[in-house]
């Protein structure tokens, strides 16, 4: 499981993003838990903004937590709700206003939790060390629910452990997706479509980069694929000739 926390300013933007379907797509969001809030998108925005008014000095009242399961991990809806509630307990906003949303628009399951950092007494939910806290929470959930274990970010390891080489599952998954797309792509446009089907946005300029569902951006050069090498691979694979067994035997002679 991978956890990400975004501290932001706009409840309207965050709630709208999480609950609204993307252009050209069917419904992708399901609210799996309401805590001290209720209703549709507009009602939720109004309630969160009203509570925000109890502490106008706080410039960033939005805590947006994204919990992403590893590809292949599947949990039932009730367990998603339980994980969201345990996250609220661990991050100390269980008594606050928050809602948990399940998205189905990627190849892996993931949960969005939108919490109001303004408590009902006007005090603030601290965001100190929240990145370390979410990493510890993910490791705990992996162990408790037998989920695929994901490596901690290197910056949270001890200085000794930071020196130990390790595999980067995110980059390995991206490299596999690029390999599959290259083998099937007829041209660069179809390569982009195939990468999108695998859950990646492609940022093409002078070079190329890939953005996964967690909005993590990885340069193509980091996985051994520059823009030039991708274009050359597509051209080479499409220009190759299929050799018949008779031709092959003739070449050997």
């Amino acid at each position: 499981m991978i956890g990400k926390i975004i501290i932001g300013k706009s409840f309207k933007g965050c709630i709208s993003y999480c609950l609204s379907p993307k252009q050209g797509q069917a419904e992708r969001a399901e609210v799996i838990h309401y805590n001290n809030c209720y209703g549709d998108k507009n009602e939720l925005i109004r309630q969160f903004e009203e509570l925000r008014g109890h502490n106008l000095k706080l410039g960033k009242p939005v805590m947006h937590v994204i919990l992403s399961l590893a590809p292949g991990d599947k949990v039932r809806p009730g367990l998603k709700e339980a994980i969201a509630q345990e996250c609220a307990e661990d991050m100390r906003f269980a008594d606050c206003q928050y809602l948990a949303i399940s998205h189905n628009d990627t190849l892996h399951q993931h949960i969005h939790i939108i919490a109001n950092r303004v408590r009902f007494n006007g005090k603030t939910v601290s965001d100190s060390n929240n990145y370390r806290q979410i990493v510890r929470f993910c490791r705990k959930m992996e162990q408790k629910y037998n989920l695929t274990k994901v490596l901690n970010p290197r910056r949270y390891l001890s200085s000794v452990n930071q020196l130990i080489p390790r595999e980067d599952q995110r980059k390995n998954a991206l490299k596999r997706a690029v390999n599959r797309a290259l083998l099937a792509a007829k041209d660069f446009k179809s390569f982009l479509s195939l990468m999108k089907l695998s859950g990646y946005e492609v940022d093409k300029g002078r070079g190329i980069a890939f953005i996964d569902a967690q909005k993590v951006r990885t340069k193509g050069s980091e996985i051994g694929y520059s823009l030039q090498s991708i274009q050359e691979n597509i051209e080479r694979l499409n220009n190759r000739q299929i050799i018949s067994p008779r031709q092959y035997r003739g070449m050997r002679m």
Side-chain angles (χ1 to χ4, degrees):
M1 176 184 285
I2 297 173
K4 182 179 180 181
I5 297 180
I6 303 168
I7 304 298
K9 298 179 180 180
S10 172
F11 284 113
K12 181 178 180 180
C14 188
I15 293 173
S16 296
Y17 167 77
C18 289
L19 289 182
S20 300
K22 291 182 178 178
Q23 188 174 3
Q25 291 186 350
E27 291 294 327
R28 61 172 181 148
E30 176 190 2
V31 178
I32 55 176
H33 186 73
Y34 293 94
N35 197 74
N36 294 319
C37 59
Y38 61 88
D40 62 18
K41 179 181 71 176
N42 292 329
E43 289 174 315
L44 289 165
I45 293 169
R46 177 182 56 78
Q47 292 164 36
F48 276 71
E49 288 291 352
E50 283 181 357
L51 183 55
R52 175 188 192 170
H54 293 185
N55 186 349
L56 293 175
K57 292 181 179 179
L58 181 63
K60 293 185 176 181
V62 183
M63 180 179 285
H64 181 191
V65 182
I66 307 167
L67 300 172
S68 300
L69 275 63
D73 280 356
K74 300 289 183 184
V75 298
R76 64 186 188 278
L79 186 51
K80 290 182 187 177
E81 182 179 7
I83 290 173
Q85 290 177 285
E86 290 187 56
C87 180
E89 291 283 350
D90 255 51
M91 303 298 291
R92 297 185 177 88
F93 60 82
D95 60 336
C96 295
Q97 199 176 45
Y98 75 88
L99 72 153
I101 302 155
S102 175
H103 273 187
N104 60 8
D105 59 339
T106 59
L107 297 176
H108 63 278
Q109 292 185 336
H110 62 286
I111 304 164
H112 293 262
I113 305 171
I114 304 170
N116 200 330
R117 294 181 61 216
V118 178
R119 299 186 185 277
F120 284 92
N121 61 5
K123 294 185 178 180
T124 302
V125 176
S126 173
D127 62 349
S128 177
N129 292 318
N130 56 18
Y131 294 104
R132 292 182 184 274
Q133 291 174 32
I134 199 66
V135 165
R136 287 195 294 266
F137 172 75
C138 289
R139 302 295 81 77
K140 186 168 74 172
M141 292 298 98
E142 290 166 354
Q143 184 172 6
K144 182 174 182 178
Y145 296 115
N146 196 29
L147 301 173
T148 301
K149 294 181 179 179
V150 178
L151 294 173
N152 284 330
R154 187 176 290 275
R155 65 180 178 274
Y156 298 143
L157 300 177
S158 68
S159 56
V160 174
N161 287 335
Q162 286 182 10
L163 300 175
I164 300 174
R166 63 187 198 168
E167 288 192 15
D168 188 323
Q169 294 186 14
R170 186 188 300 275
K171 288 182 181 178
N172 287 344
L174 172 57
K175 191 170 185 177
R176 288 193 296 270
V178 171
N179 286 335
R180 288 195 302 269
L182 285 174
L183 289 172
K186 296 179 180 179
D187 49 34
F188 193 79
K189 184 178 180 180
S190 62
F191 171 77
L192 296 178
S193 298
L194 291 165
M195 290 304 297
K196 186 175 182 179
L197 284 174
S198 294
Y200 294 93
E201 298 175 33
V202 179
D203 181 10
K204 177 181 173 291
R206 291 185 177 180
I208 193 166
F210 304 91
I211 303 165
D212 65 16
Q214 289 78 45
K215 303 302 178 185
V216 175
R217 187 176 187 275
T218 304
K219 292 181 180 179
S221 58
E222 294 179 43
I223 58 167
Y225 280 112
S226 64
L227 176 59
Q228 181 179 349
S229 68
I230 288 172
Q231 292 171 329
E232 288 175 351
N233 266 279
I234 293 172
E235 185 178 349
R236 176 174 56 82
L237 289 171
N238 282 302
N239 287 338
R240 64 184 176 180
Q241 295 180 349
I242 299 175
I243 299 172
S244 69
R246 180 177 294 180
Q247 288 175 313
Y248 179 70
R249 286 194 295 269
M251 288 173 63
R252 288 179 64 105
M253 292 173 64

